[in-house]
Amino acid sequence: MTAPAVDGVADVPVVSLRGVRKNFGDLQVLDGIDLDVHAGEAAFVIGPSGSGKSTMLRCVNSLETYQGGQIWVGDYLVGAERKGDRWVEAAPKVTAARRADIGMVFQRFNLFPMMTALDNVVSGMRMVGGVRKQAAERRGMELLDRVGLSARAGFYPSQLSGGQQQRVAIARAIAANPRLVLFDEPTSALDPELVGEVLDVMRDLTREGMTMMVVTHEIAFALEVADSVYFIDHGVVVESGPPSQVIRDPQHARTREFLTRVRNDPHEEP
Amino acid sequence: MPTMTEPSAVSAIRSRLAADSDIQLHKRWSPRILTGAAAAVVVLVVGILAYTVIAGGTLHWDVVLQYFFSGEVIKGVGVTLLLTGVSLVGSAILGSVLATMRVSHNVVLKVIASAYVWFFRGTPVLVQVVFWFNLALFLPRIAGWDTNQLITPMTAALLALLLNVSAFMCEVIRGGLLSVDPGQVEAALSIGMTPRQSLLRIVMPQAIRVILPAAGNLAIDLLKATSLVYVIGTRELLGTVQSISSQTFYVIEMLIVASLWYLLLVSVASFLQARLEAHFGRGAGRQALSRRERLRRRAIAHTEEKVI
């Protein structure tokens, strides 16, 4: 399966997983995952709870380690550095610098509670990027404006609704113009009436051509905005392709069964 | 209004109520009389005790006043503060190291830190004070130095208090670190922080909110526990007043001098603790906003609701 080409530079994927395996003790979480995400592509990952999709996403920016296969982001191998003719574990500083170029949005927002919305958004620019306060805050206000929260810049996370917190978290994730943004079930912890405002922001990002990997249970949203959909079960990619195919016309019984179940209960808890 | 299905007695009361629009509610006196009687008894008991002490006791308050500001006692207060301060700062450092060891992934570091906490938290501090003072009995020389020259009443007291409080401080700091949601570290790493940066800039500022109240209590306990070291002849506050009373026989007066000083010091410490906690309480949902800022935010919330 090849994702839709964008600009003709799509031949070098932004993210490329080859035979990725991971286990927690005896439990095989990832059992040989193959996946490619090209520049400008929104790749959606769906699957039952415990299928390994969140773990896979977390491997891409080294929040988890993997035990087999390869994960490439652009030109580097995740978790490793080339030293002469050998691969060695990546130094913490190298891993940190690589992560700075990948945004991540978490299920439970994970905003920094002692910082205002604006300080959260500029935290990466200020503490990692070394951007001057004034420039960072100007860009921070632009980002808050993009997610419709410029009036809330001085608010602390505890004073914001779940949907607002997640929008701030998205602004924080895209602040450093990352080459890729990872979404780990961004709407699963939200009250149903707050899901829409977060999906609106994500829809805008796909329109702007942001490269994204999205783990989600929002099947209707995936059908609407995804460029490609991967159905993962028991640590393997069961089926993948454009959403019109995987969601509208699934070829595998497991995919069909999962989609029926999720449609009956769209807020299946992980 | 009464409906047809209601019992007739109830509707009768209701219709009467409706007629009298102003209801006068009468007070119930029995609970007030009971609590009033209890208060009278307590006042009586306290009064009798106070009278017994003041009228019958032979306390020389002039002596209390005289020694409260005497140079000797002030010097003792200084030593108490020195013992408290050095032990506190030292235990913050040693406790942080121990806490880091306990939450590390290295089994050896974990076991050694746990054993330390187990030992120093599990034996009475008075035993530890006497032990360090008598160190020379089983360790006559330390790295070529004469132990008896190294271990003075002051160094033994410092050693005992510092090592003991560090065990408690380790647990307080560890509790603070564990109280921070692991998602905070993940978020910090995801924006490109190194593990060290995320610990110092994201985890510690949040952990400190949990650490401060417990550490403050520890500091107050420590301030009072310094009095234990008078048994090895350290001339801190209690040791000083004890030696004065053994010469002047104003035993109770001198204990009152010491108690008043301890109360004063603990009150100041409590005040400082409250100020520190308020300072680190930012973003916890109870930070004090100015009235103007509150009004501004309410106005924003109001207009946003209208738009939606």
Side-chain angles (χ1 to χ4, degrees), chain A residues 5-262:
Chain A
V6 178
D7 292 345
V9 290
D11 301 301
V12 181
V14 176
V15 185
S16 188
L17 281 75
R18 290 286 172 272
V20 173
R21 287 190 312 281
K22 174 173 183 67
N23 59 284
F24 291 118
D26 285 342
L27 183 70
Q28 194 71 37
V29 191
L30 302 178
D31 203 5
I33 297 262
D34 290 317
L35 182 151
D36 282 304
V37 185
H38 293 81
E41 184 184 344
F44 276 58
V45 182
I46 60 173
S49 304
S51 58
K53 51 196 194 310
S54 282
T55 305
M56 178 201 75
L57 201 68
R58 293 159 58 80
C59 283
V60 174
N61 71 349
S62 298
L63 288 182
E64 303 271 2
T65 55
Y66 55 103
Q67 278 107 37
Q70 298 171 11
I71 302 179
W72 290 86
V73 174
D75 54 355
Y76 68 80
L77 183 61
V78 173
E81 267 184 274
R82 195 81 176 148
K83 280 272 159 73
D85 56 351
R86 335 176 278 146
W87 290 102
V88 293
E89 280 180 40
K93 267 196 173 166
V94 171
T95 302
R98 289 171 174 182
R99 283 194 190 113
D101 202 21
I102 300 178
M104 184 152 190
V105 177
F106 299 88
Q107 184 178 349
R108 302 210 163 270
F109 332 135
N110 296 350
L111 290 180
F112 305 131
M114 66 292 191
M115 298 182 196
T116 62
L118 180 61
D119 287 340
N120 265 283
V121 174
V122 303
S123 56
M125 286 186 273
R126 297 275 293 126
M127 298 182 191
V128 178
V131 181
R132 297 273 281 278
K133 188 178 164 87
Q134 225 178 359
E137 290 192 343
R138 203 178 316 121
R139 166 126 177 93
M141 286 306 293
E142 277 171 32
L143 288 159
L144 280 176
D145 196 41
R146 257 169 86 178
V147 300
L149 287 172
S150 46
R152 302 269 169 162
F155 283 51
Y156 287 93
S158 61
Q159 299 166 320
L160 299 173
S161 74
Q164 292 170 335
Q165 288 187 53
Q166 193 62 300
R167 281 145 69 196
V168 173
I170 293 174
R172 178 177 69 181
I174 61 175
N177 287 319
R179 67 166 102 185
L180 166 74
V181 184
L182 309 172
F183 290 84
D184 187 5
E185 305 204 25
T187 57
S188 296
L190 292 174
D191 291 338
E193 78 268 24
L194 302 177
V195 169
E197 62 190 71
V198 172
L199 296 186
D200 287 344
V201 170
M202 291 173 65
R203 186 181 293 110
D204 288 346
L205 291 181
T206 59
R207 290 207 182 116
E208 288 158 23
M210 182 71 79
T211 312
M212 300 163 43
M213 282 178 80
V214 185
V215 168
T216 188
H217 287 278
E218 302 285 342
I219 304 298
F221 184 62
L223 184 61
E224 182 198 335
V225 307
D227 295 308
S228 57
V229 174
Y230 292 80
F231 172 66
I232 291 186
D233 195 12
H234 291 108
V236 293
V237 177
V238 176
E239 190 165 355
S240 66
S244 54
Q245 182 198 313
V246 178
I247 295 174
R248 281 259 165 76
D249 185 23
Q251 301 301 303
H252 286 72
R254 272 149 83 186
T255 319
R256 279 198 293 272
E257 190 198 323
F258 168 76
L259 287 170
T260 315
R261 215 167 55 225
V262 174

Side-chain angles (χ1 to χ4, degrees), chain A residues 58 110-111 127 152 154, chain B residues 183-184 186 189 193 297 304:
Chain A
R58 293 159 58 80
N110 296 350
L111 290 180
M127 298 182 191
R152 302 269 169 162
Chain B
Q184 291 292 312
E186 293 185 351
L189 295 177
M193 286 192 186
R297 288 182 182 190
E304 273 186 14

Side-chain angles (χ1 to χ4, degrees), chain B residues 160-223:
Chain B
L161 291 170
L162 194 156
L163 294 178
N164 179 266
V165 173
S166 293
F168 289 91
M169 199 59 98
C170 161
E171 291 304 274
V172 166
I173 293 170
R174 188 173 70 103
L177 292 178
L178 293 181
S179 76
V180 179
D181 178 5
Q184 291 292 312
V185 177
E186 293 185 351
L189 295 177
S190 80
I191 60 169
M193 286 192 186
T194 60
R196 183 209 304 267
Q197 266 181 315
S198 80
L199 178 69
L200 293 180
R201 309 205 61 169
I202 300 299
V203 175
M204 274 319 266
Q206 295 180 61
I208 207 97
R209 283 212 290 261
V210 177
I211 292 172
L212 267 182
N217 290 338
L218 212 51
I220 286 168
D221 279 345
L222 171 66
L223 181 66

